Amino acid sequence: MTTTWLDLPAVPALPGLFARAALRRGVRGQTLPDLGLRCAISVDGKKLERYRQLCGFSDDGHLPPTYPHILAFPLQMQLLTDASFPFPLLGLVHLENRIRGVRPLGGMGPFIVSVHVENLQPHEKGAVFSLITRLEDQLGLLWEGDSRILCRAVKLGGQPAERSEEITLPLEDIAHWQAPADIGRRYAAVAGDYNPIHLSAVSAKLFGFPRAIAHGLWNKARTLAALGERVPAAGYVVDVRFQKPVLLPSAVTLQASNPASSGQFKLVGNNDVPHMSGSWRVI
């Protein structure tokens, strides 16, 4: 599928997009649009510092490896609420996430951020697709993200793709931290992601959760901050699979294999409840 790119003159405003998402109901088809969105975006230094503090990243002169998701979020929202996108945004589930760092994320921009969707496939619980995000500068690609997202309301023919391999390396505890009751609201204030399931117990219960849950990308960011130099500044791939949600408040433990050019990790809660598992490798 060839992507038809729309270059935006400015970053989309989120309030109208949230309203559009709230009003959207029902599946309108089973074909992903060929629309892609691009925009020149610069980093807000104050917001970046708040993000670093919230996720545990030190200021090493580079953007955190998960920060391009923050820059791209308004474009992602506009694309997933566009009339050509067939699935309602509310109810989509972020299952897996891959980031690939091609070159060091230095500087504050402006960068070209782009988003598009592709690779719609059957899943045992519905259908999954990839939301692809790219960050580029004048020299080309810096970073790429692939968010695999589930829509339960769609059933496709064919066999679901095989799952990626499970943890096979020995792991040891390397970090512990608290996920406080307000982390969903604090992360939303930085990331812009005000999904009700993250904000309070009252709003989360409307969607079937007993309490608010932590953002999956906060879990991943906090994990990468704790992994530190296991993941280099460039030339890496990090994959994660989101498992059971982190109910707020909670205490979690990060387990990881020994530092090497490739490795594995998992984030667990009380009684070894699996919240997230993943791997890194140098490319």
Side-chain angles (χ1 to χ4, degrees):
M1 180 176 69
T2 301
T3 302
T4 301
W5 291 103
L6 175 62
D7 292 297
L8 302 180
V11 177
L14 285 172
L17 298 177
F18 286 128
R20 188 189 299 176
L23 295 173
R24 175 73 178 273
R25 294 290 185 273
V27 173
R28 300 179 180 179
Q30 296 186 351
T31 303
L32 296 178
D34 62 4
L35 174 66
L37 303 178
R38 291 188 298 218
C39 188
I41 300 177
S42 294
V43 175
D44 181 322
K46 292 182 179 179
K47 183 178 291 188
L48 172 61
E49 180 57 28
R50 290 167 60 199
Y51 181 85
R52 284 189 174 122
Q53 293 176 358
L54 198 63
C55 300
F57 289 107
S58 61
D59 184 356
D60 62 357
H62 299 99
L63 299 181
T66 47
Y67 199 70
H69 283 301
I70 306 302
L71 297 176
F73 182 71
L75 275 71
Q76 295 170 347
M77 281 289 296
Q78 177 150 331
L79 180 61
L80 297 181
T81 58
D82 189 85
S84 66
F85 184 73
F87 312 140
L89 179 58
L90 290 179
L92 296 182
V93 181
H94 195 175
L95 296 181
E96 299 175 355
N97 181 268
R98 166 178 289 183
I99 59 174
R100 180 168 65 97
V102 179
R103 292 185 287 122
L105 298 178
M108 304 289 278
F111 303 105
I112 298 298
V113 178
S114 65
V115 299
H116 71 279
V117 289
E118 65 181 31
N119 196 21
L120 182 64
Q121 294 182 340
H123 186 273
E124 58 188 7
K125 295 182 179 180
V128 292
F129 64 92
S130 285
L131 174 61
I132 303 296
T133 302
R134 294 192 175 100
L135 185 76
E136 300 175 86
D137 63 9
Q138 65 272 21
L139 298 178
L141 183 65
L142 284 163
W143 179 99
E144 182 178 61
D146 181 348
S147 298
R148 291 293 283 168
I149 297 175
L150 169 70
C151 179
R152 293 192 179 98
V154 176
K155 300 297 182 184
L156 300 178
Q159 293 297 317
E162 294 184 4
R163 289 182 176 271
S164 57
E165 63 184 43
E166 301 293 337
I167 299 292
T168 57
L169 297 175
L171 309 180
E172 62 179 6
D173 294 356
I174 67 165
H176 307 271
W177 62 83
Q178 298 290 324
D182 65 348
I183 193 62
R185 295 188 294 275
R186 291 164 59 199
Y187 184 84
V190 173
D193 185 355
Y194 284 92
N195 189 321
I197 63 176
H198 304 303
L199 302 182
S200 70
V202 173
S203 57
K205 285 178 181 177
L206 297 175
F207 295 87
F209 294 97
R211 305 198 301 273
I213 66 174
H215 292 75
L217 286 177
W218 180 77
N219 294 332
K220 183 173 183 177
R222 189 68 182 80
T223 291
L224 286 180
L227 287 173
E229 294 183 356
R230 283 174 169 84
V231 180
Y236 64 83
V237 171
V238 177
D239 284 287
V240 301
R241 176 184 298 161
F242 301 113
Q243 296 166 299
K244 293 186 179 299
V246 176
L247 297 173
L248 301 176
S250 287
V252 296
T253 297
L254 176 63
Q255 302 173 341
S257 58
N258 290 329
S261 60
S262 63
Q264 295 176 317
F265 57 86
K266 64 179 179 179
L267 189 67
V268 298
N270 293 332
N271 300 316
D272 286 331
V273 171
H275 294 305
M276 186 179 73
S277 61
S279 64
W280 76 85
R281 59 184 171 89
V282 175
I283 54 175

